[in-house]
Amino acid sequence: MSGKRVVRMAELEIDPSQLDAYRALLAEEIEASAASEPGVLTLYAVSIKDRPERICIFEVYASQEDYEAHLKTPHFLKYKTSSERMVRSLSLIDVDPIILRGKTGDDLAR
């Protein structure tokens, strides 16, 4: 195990006619990942103001192995398969964290 955290951003554009269904699917996937995968440290999803079809997901995994394991989970595979026709574009960006701080346990969207 490398032990080095994996930090990524995903930028997506969603078919506006399927936005509600996509958001529900994404919420289900993030809830399942956070609840069942110890190596999933952070998953935040936001949309661009006035452009709700533009979604950004910020992801932090404990290690490369945890990230790769996440990609093989039933809930991620369901999300990937079910959202395939909803997603118009997807960019995955590996990033180097400068500083990551936050308060845990809070649903900041509520």
Side-chain angles (χ1 to χ4, degrees):
M1 296 268 254
S2 70
K4 184 177 179 192
R5 289 190 175 161
V6 173
V7 183
R8 304 186 91 187
M9 289 184 3
E11 296 179 344
L12 300 97
E13 183 173 349
I14 307 304
D15 177 348
S17 70
Q18 299 188 63
L19 190 54
D20 289 340
Y22 176 80
R23 285 177 169 229
L25 188 63
L26 178 62
E28 179 183 312
E29 196 284 323
I30 287 177
E31 291 292 336
S33 297
S36 66
E37 296 179 65
V40 173
L41 303 180
T42 302
L43 289 172
Y44 292 147
V46 298
S47 62
I48 306 298
K49 274 199 187 299
D50 301 322
R51 298 280 314 272
E53 74 280 3
R54 300 289 314 250
I55 308 271
C56 297
I57 304 170
F58 179 73
E59 311 170 56
V60 182
Y61 302 91
S63 68
Q64 182 65 34
E65 293 82 3
D66 288 309
Y67 171 68
E68 290 171 10
H70 169 71
L71 298 179
K72 296 174 185 169
T73 60
H75 49 268
F76 180 79
L77 294 172
K78 176 187 175 190
Y79 159 79
K80 196 69 172 162
T81 301
S82 299
S83 67
E84 189 172 51
R85 295 199 173 160
M86 300 175 182
V87 176
R88 288 185 171 172
S89 68
L90 167 65
S91 296
L92 298 174
I93 305 163
D94 290 316
V95 297
D96 288 323
I98 296 170
I99 184 167
L100 301 175
R101 290 287 179 261
K103 294 185 179 185
T104 60
D106 295 332
D107 180 353
L108 301 176
R110 295 182 188 177

